[in-house]
Amino acid sequence: MGLNINYIEGQTPLSEDEQEGLKISSITTREELDEFEQLNIEKAIQWTFGKKLKAEQLFSEKFIKDLHKRMYGDVWKWAGTFRTSEKNIGIKSYLIGVELKQLLDDAVYWTQNKTYNSQEIAIRFKHRLVSIHCFANGNGRHSRLMADLIMEKLYNEKFFSWGSTNLVKATETRTAYIKAVKKADQQDLLPLIAFAKS
């Protein structure tokens, strides 16, 4: 039967090879996939509870990959592995390691030197991470959780609310989120910061 996904604006289509990485053969629709992924993500969030992380740990390739694997490893074989295919968003796959290293080094510098306030560091990091698009799928949710962990683990501040809704479904809130991301693409982070707090 296979996986039948209807993509909405801002979602990255999976290649046939990536779809074959699905671990649960009974999943056939977007709704079922979303449900299983959400259960996996909740387990990943529980994994972060009580973890004490310094900037050097949080801003590491190992943590970026580990978190993605924790978020999607029950559902996808390739979870936590950098993509090797080209997408409608993100950089060329062979540049992922280099660009991510630059972002991680920048983020450590920002935190050590208080270059920006906590919210701007979290959102700036989230936006650049999703722009790199490290993984075949789940980059938006992964980057939002990273922003939340930056707020909680590095600054002892509360998670962002992200519009207080599920951003995977096609809603007005998701449309507002995509619009804010596109503004950030043009170097205007304020709408994305405002959305994250809404």
Side-chain angles (χ1 to χ4, degrees):
M1 208 161 153
L3 187 58
N4 182 21
I5 301 177
N6 294 318
Y7 294 99
I8 58 177
E9 184 187 3
Q11 289 181 330
T12 309
L14 294 169
S15 70
E16 283 186 32
D17 284 347
E18 290 161 351
Q19 285 190 35
E20 287 176 15
L22 187 64
K23 289 182 170 182
I24 306 163
S25 58
S26 62
I27 296 175
T28 57
T29 66
R30 161 60 72 187
E31 291 74 23
E32 291 168 344
L33 179 61
D34 288 346
E35 188 177 324
F36 276 96
E37 285 183 339
Q38 187 56 41
L39 289 170
N40 203 168
I41 290 166
E42 287 167 15
K43 284 168 62 176
I45 291 169
Q46 288 177 344
W47 171 72
T48 69
F49 289 167
K51 275 197 179 313
K52 299 214 182 304
L53 296 167
K54 295 181 177 160
E56 294 78 10
Q57 296 166 301
L58 192 62
F59 298 132
S60 70
E61 182 179 310
K62 180 180 183 334
F63 187 82
I64 296 289
K65 287 180 168 180
D66 285 352
L67 182 64
H68 191 270
K69 187 165 184 115
R70 293 275 180 173
M71 291 174 73
Y72 297 102
D74 292 350
V75 181
W76 296 105
K77 291 175 187 169
W78 41 255
T81 306
F82 290 158
R83 67 178 162 85
T84 55
S85 62
E86 304 312 322
K87 299 295 179 186
N88 60 343
I89 185 175
I91 62 172
K92 295 287 185 190
S93 57
Y94 66 87
L95 294 172
I96 291 170
V98 173
E99 290 291 325
L100 180 62
K101 174 79 165 78
Q102 181 65 57
L103 170 58
L104 297 170
D105 289 349
D106 286 351
V108 170
Y109 179 88
W110 300 335
T111 54
Q112 288 175 344
N113 294 281
K114 299 179 176 61
T115 308
Y116 308 106
N117 67 38
S118 58
Q119 293 176 355
E120 187 168 348
I121 286 174
I123 296 303
R124 190 173 286 274
F125 184 86
K126 175 258 180 291
H127 180 258
R128 275 189 49 198
L129 184 61
V130 84
S131 297
I132 293 169
H133 227 68
C134 298
F135 306 103
N137 192 22
N139 293 281
R141 288 169 282 181
H142 177 264
S143 66
R144 288 190 296 274
L145 183 51
M146 280 298 301
D148 287 342
L149 291 173
I150 291 167
M151 293 299 288
E152 182 196 29
K153 304 299 182 184
L154 299 186
Y155 296 103
N156 295 314
E157 296 179 28
K158 63 181 184 172
F159 278 17
F160 291 113
S161 55
W162 301 108
S164 301
T165 191
N166 182 344
L167 293 175
V168 175
K169 299 192 185 318
T171 62
E172 286 181 25
T173 307
R174 180 177 170 81
T175 301
Y177 168 66
I178 296 295
K179 191 174 178 183
V181 169
K182 287 181 178 175
K183 285 279 192 188
D185 291 344
Q186 298 164 5
Q187 310 307 317
D188 182 4
L189 287 175
L190 293 178
L192 190 52
I193 293 169
F195 178 87
K197 294 177 355 185
S198 67

